[in-house]
Amino acid sequence: MANEHAIGFMDSGVGGLTVVKQALKQLPRETVYFIGDQARLPYGPRPAEQVRTFSFQMADFLIAKQIKMLVIACNTATAAALPALRQQLSIPVIGVIAPGSRAALKASHRNRIGVIATEGTIRSNAYRDAILTKDPTATVVSQACPKFVPLVESNEYQSTVAKRVVAETLKQLTKQDVDTLVLGCTHYPLLRPLIQNVMGPGVTLIDSGAETVNDVSAVLDYLDIANDRSTKRYPDEYYTTGAADQFEAIARNWLGQPDFHAQHIDLGSEAND
């Protein structure tokens, strides 16, 4: 039956696991197929057209595995490729920006919302547009944080270096009087304790990826494609275009799965061309 098929998740690297973690928690019956394009990250500095190309390569890989829904667990790829993927694919495609924007407006008391993300996501104005479309009276303060993804991907997100980089990067943002801050990159929740510490207890952090799983759940129910068996029929599968052991080290810790296993695959050109 189609409803036993997997949900596909794709990201530039390990960040999408923050979305998967929520999916495993909220939707324990659903099978997860995940691909992280670590060989070509970070996506943030790349032109949108290139990110679109990479996104379609990842989507094609997952579609070949007969997924029933695609989750773009990457803000940069959502900004660059969501409309095109929705147009091309016959299955539901869900991005992380709309759910994050909705949650930020709901949480904010004074409508002063900060957004931190990659250069690509900030450049696209995707969050600013999504928030202001829903509430034109909101003030949106955006900041690119290009050093955050490399910290997470190198498994240094709990280090002293990470603490210093986060403090330096967010220094100006702490003066902007925001009451809500969108973590507009799925890698950033791994830095959440450091970010919260710098921003202070009065700022509510919004994890766009976690919010996205609420949308996934709603769409599964609306389309009646949720797995109605008591257990998963297929095991979860994780793929990376980078080094599997590096991916596994972060995933085991973050997902709390000591037996976590990932497979290396090649997708298009490995070069940063």
Side-chain angles (χ1 to χ4, degrees), residues 122-158:
I122 298 298
R123 201 167 48 237
S124 73
N125 278 326
Y127 270 104
R128 178 185 294 277
D129 293 348
I131 291 167
L132 295 179
T133 298
K134 291 181 178 68
D135 186 350
T137 68
T139 300
V140 182
V141 182
S142 305
Q143 187 180 326
C145 303
K147 293 179 178 175
F148 285 11
V149 169
L151 280 175
V152 172
E153 288 289 338
S154 58
N155 208 1
E156 289 182 59
Y157 60 91
Q158 293 169 313

Side-chain angles (χ1 to χ4, degrees), residues 189-241:
L190 287 113
L191 294 162
R192 185 179 187 129
L194 303 183
I195 295 168
Q196 188 76 70
N197 191 42
V198 172
M199 296 306 295
V203 177
T204 304
L205 301 189
I206 302 295
D207 179 343
S208 291
E211 298 296 336
T212 301
V213 178
N214 299 332
D215 275 28
V216 170
S217 181
V219 172
L220 287 172
D221 290 344
Y222 180 74
L223 296 177
D224 198 21
I225 55 171
N227 179 18
D228 49 15
R229 287 167 57 103
S230 57
T231 54
K232 298 185 187 196
R233 179 169 175 190
Y234 305 106
D236 298 336
E237 295 177 10
Y238 296 89
Y239 301 90
T240 175
T241 59

Side-chain angles (χ1 to χ4, degrees), residues 29-78:
R29 295 178 178 185
E30 300 296 340
T31 297
V32 167
Y33 289 172
F34 176 89
I35 178 166
D37 192 11
Q38 286 182 298
R40 301 185 292 197
L41 65 78
Y43 276 15
R46 294 182 178 277
E49 191 53 48
Q50 195 176 42
V51 173
R52 246 191 311 281
T53 301
F54 293 174
S55 298
F56 269 92
Q57 288 173 346
M58 288 192 288
D60 288 345
F61 173 80
L62 291 167
I63 293 290
K65 295 185 156 292
Q66 296 185 302
I67 55 168
K68 62 183 175 184
M69 178 189 287
L70 177 64
V71 180
I72 311 175
C74 173
N75 288 265
T76 310
T78 297

